[in-house]
Amino acid sequence: VCFFIVYTVTKLVNPLIGWDTWKRSMTFNAACQVWQALYISIVLCGLLPFQCYPHPNGRSSLTKFPQVVCGETEHWALFAAGVAATV
């Protein structure tokens, strides 16, 4: 959204002061590059509830949050949030 606001402002203001305006394709490419960087980190956080490791007693916990036992209520809440983040 910020890129499109800057694009619009440059279209309106820059001709008045003599600067070059942003090109639509370059603005779109910059916005998509930022989105891709953010998307990768969101997906990585969303995949955390799917990473369980086994305990010797037969149960399993999340790799990042060992206090959360996989398959219990707290895990299912994180699981739903992880599905929403990856989709």
Side-chain angles (χ1 to χ4, degrees), residues 14-55:
N14 285 357
L16 299 174
I17 57 177
W19 292 353
D20 291 336
T21 60
W22 283 22
K23 293 178 179 66
R24 187 179 308 175
S25 61
M26 292 176 69
T27 304
F28 184 74
N29 286 339
C32 288
Q33 186 174 4
V34 169
W35 171 249
Q36 183 178 10
L38 294 174
Y39 181 73
I40 290 169
S41 62
I42 291 170
V43 169
L44 288 176
C45 288
L47 292 175
L48 289 177
F50 302 105
Q51 300 173 359
C52 296
Y53 70 95
H55 290 288

Side-chain angles (χ1 to χ4, degrees), residues 44-68:
L44 288 176
C45 288
L47 292 175
L48 289 177
F50 302 105
Q51 300 173 359
C52 296
Y53 70 95
H55 290 288
N57 63 2
R59 301 176 95 186
S60 57
S61 294
L62 291 180
T63 306
K64 187 74 173 174
F65 305 102
Q67 70 274 15
V68 178

